[in-house]
Amino acid sequence: MFTVEDLSKVYSSRRGAVRALDKVSLVIENGSFVSITGNSGSGKSTLLLTLGGLIRPTEGKVEFCGKGIFDSSSVDLAEYRNRKVGFVLQTFNLVPYLSAIENVMLPTLFYPNDNGSQRKTAETLLNRVGLTGREEHLPRELSVGQQQRVAIARALANNPEVILADEPTGNLDPALSIEILEILKQLNVNESKTVIMVTHSPEAARYGTQRLHLENGRIV
Amino acid sequence: MKLNTIVWKELWLRKSQLVSALLAITLGIAVIVGIQSVSIVSEKAIKVKLDNLGANIMVLPQAASVDDYYSADIDAPTFPEEYVERLATSTLPGVDNLSPKLTRRIKINDVPVILTGILPANELAAKPIWQSAGLVGEGLNAACDPNNNANIDYGYKDDKLQRKAVDSLAANEILLGSDAARRLNLKESDSLFIEGQSFMVARVLPETGTIDDSRIFAHLHTVQGLLGIKGQVSTIEVMGCCSAISDGLLGKMRNILPDTRITTINQIVSTQIETNNLMSKISMIFLVIIVLVGAITIGNFMWANVEERRREIGILITIGAKKLSIYYLFLIKSIMLGFVGGVTGYILGTISAMVLGPQLAGLTITPVPIYLVFSILVSVVIALLGSILPVQHAARLDPAMIMQEI
């Protein structure tokens, strides 16, 4: 599914250049559950966001299903993020003034969609993550764990092939963390979604069928 | 759900900020609409007032003083009455209601009054030469026709072409100004002696607040006889139509009567025109200030809004929003701001003009619907101008950078 070759990302700052990724190469197969671990600043989030088309690499190539994702225009890249991948992030996940169901429907607004099924799909997704009856709740009216479940439902709104999760359990207690990880696992096992998850937690990392560890921008 | 849902919900969430941003643009538009509404009515009102004065052009001898338009004929040198016919037969367009006068100060029972000889309208109309010139009755010159489009544009209505002409006046009748009647203690049907000749008061004229209140009007030929200056007049008052005056009527009249002095209520007209021009200039200055202040205010508001919504914009870009969608979200919002600002500004400005117009300028102001279109247009353009930079900023935000800020 993903083929990464010699991927490097260098950030320029006033204090000089920082190499976040250093010639990373890897292959991620369709339907795998990849966990990426590493210390802060090891480059694991940079790798995830590069796979998601949000960070343009300084060098190297990222292919999705045989096609270089950064070879396309910014409009195509936006469509890739919308259709092919679904994001679950640690924080800044939901739009605060939209209800749970409206947040889930967000990804369907940017490209032509069958609006008739838009709400029905969102309800089904919320039901699948155990939030039936919470559709009209605003994010502030939901617990942190429920908010993260809304984020997972939203990531699935356009039925993407890949779920990219950046520290999805970072703000959760152990019990809630397991709930979220189980949902991701079900998506991987039952629906053959490819899940790529960045985590600090060794327990969470064990959910991965393919585990990667980064240090100083390199896979070790 | 549509993208507009996001715009509406966000506007509602931050409604207090919205109100403060709207205030500047609303007040600005209100000021322009208010000034323009008063200005347009004032312009029409002065045209109607001038017309209703009865005469707005005065033909005087060369030596006459014109310091005061209304008393210029008093004790003025004289010129031949025949000049009236010269004007009447000239077929100048826009000349109506020729009224020759002879005026002198006299004393009646030691009370100083102004004796003015006038020619009643029925005598003017009876002159065959005038009829052939088409200056009376049905043949009234088309330029003065109240239904003429040019005159309608000036604010005339059918019943507005009221003239001060006196229809008929017998040789032994007089019309008394209100002040003269009071001082002479006379009322209608009373009789009095002027220079030894007996007259009857045909009518006491209503108060006008001008020098006319002190006048005694008698038949021109009687006054000429009383004063011993037959065939002479001191002035010819002319009702010149506004449209004709602006087409150079005075110059044409000077060509016909080169040895006279022809003047208009120039000062009044020019003062009013100057006032209207000043108001137009002020509203233009306001417009420039409002465009700048409004655009800066909206710009500030939108920039703060973008900064406040960095996370949200980051989420939208992350889940696949195109730059165009981000532009749409913010530009629709600024168009809404502009639209609401334009409408509320128009309403506020119109109401202010309607309330203050009668009190400050003595004018009845009516709403000018076309200003609503202009208000919305100007307001939306201001809002869009102010939003350009903040919206570009929003569309260029890097969600990866925003995530690192958290």
Side-chain angles (χ1 to χ4, degrees), chain A:
Chain A
M1 174 164 268
F2 281 106
T3 305
V4 177
E5 281 178 28
D6 293 331
L7 187 68
S8 293
K9 177 65 187 177
V10 179
Y11 291 109
S12 300
S13 72
R14 277 172 292 180
R15 287 179 222 155
V18 176
R19 188 169 282 270
L21 292 174
D22 190 7
K23 293 196 180 300
V24 170
S25 295
L26 64 105
V27 173
I28 296 171
E29 297 297 339
N30 195 8
S32 51
F33 193 131
V34 182
S35 60
I36 305 171
T37 54
N39 294 328
S40 293
S42 61
K44 55 187 188 302
S45 287
T46 302
L47 176 60
L48 187 88
L49 297 178
T50 307
L51 294 175
L54 280 171
I55 293 177
R56 198 170 278 276
T58 313
E59 287 170 8
K61 202 158 78 172
V62 180
E63 283 185 356
F64 177 78
C65 297
K67 195 180 169 196
I69 61 173
F70 293 104
D71 297 339
S72 51
S73 68
S74 62
V75 174
D76 290 339
L77 207 54
E79 189 166 357
Y80 162 77
R81 288 197 297 271
N82 187 259
R83 304 272 194 185
K84 303 294 180 188
V85 299
F87 284 90
V88 181
L89 307 167
Q90 180 184 358
T91 50
F92 109 95
N93 242 332
L94 304 179
V95 176
Y97 51 84
L98 296 180
S99 65
I101 196 160
E102 285 168 339
N103 266 289
V104 175
M105 287 190 279
L106 265 182
T108 64
L109 300 183
F110 306 116
Y111 298 90
N113 259 297
D114 175 9
N115 282 338
S117 67
Q118 187 193 42
R119 192 174 179 87
K120 202 173 170 188
T121 307
E123 280 172 355
T124 309
L125 290 170
L126 283 173
N127 180 40
R128 204 196 301 179
V129 296
L131 287 176
T132 306
R134 304 277 180 163
E135 290 86 354
E136 301 306 326
H137 286 222
L138 290 172
R140 66 169 184 272
E141 295 164 342
L142 299 170
S143 70
V144 184
Q146 287 170 329
Q147 287 182 32
Q148 204 58 312
R149 281 194 264 172
V150 174
I152 293 173
R154 189 187 59 202
L156 298 169
N158 280 331
N159 196 23
E161 294 163 58
V162 186
I163 303 292
L164 298 174
D166 190 6
E167 304 273 11
T169 58
N171 284 344
L172 306 178
D173 61 36
L176 283 175
S177 295
I178 290 169
E179 270 184 30
I180 298 300
L181 289 167
E182 284 300 323
I183 293 171
L184 292 175
K185 187 180 171 183
Q186 280 171 25
L187 289 170
N188 176 245
V189 173
N190 299 340
E191 298 182 33
S192 302
K193 303 281 184 200
T194 303
V195 178
I196 305 171
M197 178 180 68
V198 164
T199 182
H200 268 108
S201 156
E203 291 77 21
R206 282 191 203 105
Y207 278 79
T209 51
Q210 183 183 353
R211 294 175 206 169
L212 302 173
H213 186 74
L214 265 76
E215 275 180 23
N216 297 321
R218 292 184 178 193
I219 295 174
V220 292

Side-chain angles (χ1 to χ4, degrees), chain B residues 271-385:
Chain B
T271 302
Q272 188 59 43
I273 288 170
E274 276 169 24
T275 308
N276 286 342
N277 286 345
L278 186 67
M279 286 175 86
S280 291
K281 279 179 192 166
I282 287 173
S283 60
M284 283 313 292
I285 293 167
F286 266 113
L287 188 65
V288 171
I289 293 171
I290 282 155
V291 168
L292 287 174
V293 173
I296 291 168
T297 309
I298 295 285
N300 257 336
F301 168 71
M302 292 299 275
W303 192 277
N305 191 244
V306 168
E307 284 301 309
E308 202 173 353
R309 296 169 69 186
R310 281 171 73 88
R311 283 182 174 208
E312 181 193 324
I313 297 163
I315 295 168
L316 297 179
I317 296 174
T318 300
I319 63 175
K322 290 171 283 189
K323 278 189 178 180
L324 211 61
S325 304
I326 303 296
Y327 275 113
Y328 180 87
L329 285 177
F330 284 92
L331 288 180
I332 287 291
K333 180 174 175 169
S334 66
I335 288 171
M336 282 181 183
L337 267 175
F339 183 86
V340 176
V343 172
T344 50
Y346 169 79
I347 294 170
L348 189 66
T350 302
I351 291 174
S352 305
M354 287 171 79
V355 170
L356 297 176
Q359 292 173 24
L360 301 181
L363 296 169
T364 305
I365 312 291
T366 49
V368 186
I370 191 71
Y371 286 171
L372 176 63
V373 180
F374 289 138
S375 298
I376 292 171
L377 214 63
V378 168
S379 186
V380 167
V381 168
I382 289 171
L384 285 176
L385 278 176

Side-chain angles (χ1 to χ4, degrees), chain B residues 233-266:
Chain B
V233 294
S234 49
T235 181
I236 304 170
E237 285 182 358
V238 181
M239 175 67 213
C241 290
C242 292
S243 52
I245 292 175
S246 56
D247 284 343
L249 177 64
L250 294 195
K252 292 170 193 165
M253 287 175 69
R254 282 187 192 112
N255 288 339
I256 296 166
L257 306 173
D259 57 339
T260 57
R261 191 165 188 177
I262 299 172
T263 183
T264 61
I265 312 179
N266 226 350

